[in-house]
Amino acid sequence: MSLAHHVPGTTLSSTLPKGTGPSMPLALLALAVGAFGIGTTEFVIMGLLPDVASDLHISIPSAGHLVSAYALGVVIGAPLLAAVTARMSRRTVLIALMVLFVVGNALSAFAPGNGSLLAARFLSGLPHGAFFGVGAVVATTMVPPERKARSVSLMFLGLTVANIAGVPAATLMGQHLGWRATFLGVSAIGLAAIASLALLIPHDHTHASATGLRGELAALRPLPVWLALGTTVAGFGALFAAYSYVTPMLTDAAGYAETSVTLLLALFGVGATAGNLLGGRLADHSLRGTLFGGLISLAVVLALFPLLMRAEWSAALAVTLLGTAAFITGSPLQLMVMEKASSAPSLASSANQAAFNLANAGGAWVGGIALAAGYGTTSPALAGAALAVLGVGVAGAAYLVDRRRTVPSAGRVVTSHLCLPEDSEALRS
């Protein structure tokens, strides 16, 4: 049976033939393609800033506002678009978000000046968080409960692979064909994602709560939800405190030539991809244990950065381990937020993506303070280690709150797996 003609109201997991074992639905590929395009457009602008500044006759710091405009679009668009589309079919929402993504990148390619390019980058960022948020919910409804984290990690695989292949290729395209060609290329990836989503994602009914938008927003009020979001901000803030300044660490501390940095950043992508897949697999066995293990590992790696940056070989290892440790926590964090706001998983999942981008900005700010204070080239990594420890503390507080709120009763079964409303139907089938 064609996936495009899947019976509405059922989940893909119920259509898998018996004996398929650990195989994953092909529909996850469509989500990964979309994630690949989003990851490429988010990070490629950083390597094209000199070209954009020269072409538009602006300074590089002014061109740097293009990064902020995109991040602002993500933070605003993630919860907003998830909330206003709550009553729509998730398949329809995903396709519409990718259409908006294509439009934003196409407008970026043809922007006549800096003001219009800023607006186009803001527009490109709007669908980012909502796509990952809604996509994570769709991914978890297509697999049995014991493979939810792996399904989310496979969607995020597109984002991590973008750092290995998408961003370097798009940067190379921009340097040889002009920066506008890069955004046209990203638009083409978006069109491929739209075709994949239309072909592979099953038709579904809306799964919005009967309370509507007010009920969706109310699901974000409980303390455990905010503690989960706070863990995301602290944990990934730790990553970006160091990663934002990894180039001067590699050149000034480790002694690498600037021409080698691109290859080293690809190693970060390799580590992130490995960590993402490992985190997804481990989280299906112990979600909270994987989260704690990832955050502690991240703190240790960042604390060792000053030592590891003393030689080229150990610096390359440090960059790879940084990606691995940070992205082990990606799937657990996403599922944790969805679990704490299970009555509005799409909105909660999208809000977590906004938290990721707040972590990006906040982490870079904290790392910059350490650097400006004169503590040394590798001091942003130590600031990141402190943020990772803070993340462990917030996750620990969330654990204690959960224990306090759990009232044991006879015959009650407690599970660490996320259980969305759709799961009961999937399990019955």
Side-chain angles (χ1 to χ4, degrees):
M1 178 175 63
S2 170
L3 293 177
H5 295 88
H6 183 74
V7 178
T10 61
T11 61
L12 268 183
S13 59
S14 64
T15 69
L16 294 175
K18 301 292 184 182
T20 52
S23 62
M24 287 288 183
L26 188 60
L28 293 175
L29 176 63
L31 297 174
V33 172
F36 179 81
I38 290 174
T40 299
T41 200
E42 179 182 16
F43 294 108
V44 73
I45 187 65
M46 299 171 189
L48 297 177
L49 287 182
D51 303 275
V52 173
S54 176
D55 185 52
L56 299 181
H57 306 292
I58 58 176
S59 66
I60 289 183
S62 295
H65 294 156
L66 297 170
V67 178
S68 302
Y70 184 92
L72 182 62
V74 178
V75 173
I76 293 176
L80 178 63
L81 292 179
V84 300
T85 60
R87 291 187 174 275
M88 296 173 58
S89 155
R90 287 176 183 149
R91 177 179 182 272
T92 301
V93 171
L94 288 171
I95 293 174
L97 291 172
M98 286 311 300
V99 169
L100 183 59
F101 171 83
V102 170
V103 170
N105 280 280
L107 289 175
S108 298
F110 295 105
N114 185 45
S116 56
L117 183 56
L118 279 170
R121 286 295 290 170
F122 174 80
L123 183 64
S124 300
L126 286 176
H128 177 130
F131 181 87
F132 280 108
V134 176
V137 177
V138 171
T140 58
T141 60
M142 291 191 293
V143 297
E146 68 272 11
R147 296 212 296 270
K148 288 184 181 296
R150 267 174 283 183
S151 72
V152 173
S153 71
L154 288 177
M155 180 187 69
F156 283 157
L157 187 63
L159 180 64
T160 58
V161 171
N163 283 283
I164 302 174
V167 173
T171 303
L172 194 62
M173 177 187 293
Q175 291 171 345
H176 287 81
L177 301 177
W179 63 270
R180 297 179 187 275
T182 294
F183 289 114
L184 287 177
V186 172
S187 297
I189 298 173
L191 291 174
I194 291 172
S196 300
L197 291 167
L199 178 66
L200 298 174
I201 299 296
H203 293 279
D204 64 312
H205 296 302
T206 177
H207 298 285
S209 62
T211 53
L213 178 57
R214 182 174 296 181
E216 291 268 317
L217 294 174
L220 298 183
R221 291 178 188 168
L223 178 60
V225 176
W226 287 99
L227 288 173
L229 292 172
T231 305
T232 295
V233 174
F236 272 81
L239 164 65
F240 287 109
Y243 188 69
S244 300
Y245 306 97
V246 72
T247 296
M249 289 188 210
L250 292 170
T251 54
D252 298 346
Y256 276 104
E258 290 187 6
T259 53
S260 303
V261 171
T262 301
L263 177 61
L264 290 165
L265 295 184
L267 287 179
F268 171 84
V270 171
T273 300
N276 173 54
L277 293 174
L278 178 62
R281 182 168 290 274
L282 292 176
D284 277 329
H285 296 286
S286 174
L287 190 150
R288 202 180 293 271
T290 303
L291 178 58
F292 277 114
L295 288 171
I296 293 171
S297 298
L298 180 59
V300 171
V301 169
L302 288 170
L304 291 175
F305 247 59
L307 177 63
L308 295 173
M309 284 292 161
R310 293 180 181 177
E312 290 187 354
W313 70 269
S314 56
L317 176 63
V319 171
T320 307
L321 291 176
L322 177 63
T324 303
F327 278 85
I328 281 177
T329 64
S331 298
L333 284 170
Q334 193 73 26
L335 287 175
M336 188 76 72
V337 173
M338 291 164 63
E339 180 184 72
K340 300 310 173 189
S342 58
S343 61
S346 294
L347 179 57
S349 184
S350 299
N352 196 49
Q353 292 301 312
F356 277 120
N357 277 267
L358 287 176
N360 189 336
W365 177 69
V366 170
I369 289 177
L371 202 58
Y375 293 126
T377 306
T378 58
S379 61
L382 296 179
L387 284 176
V389 172
L390 176 62
V392 174
V394 177
Y399 172 71
L400 293 177
V401 168
D402 281 349
R403 281 184 63 97
R404 246 177 231 180
R405 291 187 173 213
T406 301
V407 180
S409 59
R412 180 175 179 179
V413 178
V414 179
T415 175
S416 63
H417 287 299
L418 170 68
C419 190
L420 299 178
E422 300 90 321
D423 293 338
S424 56
E425 181 180 355
L427 292 174
R428 286 197 303 269
S429 59

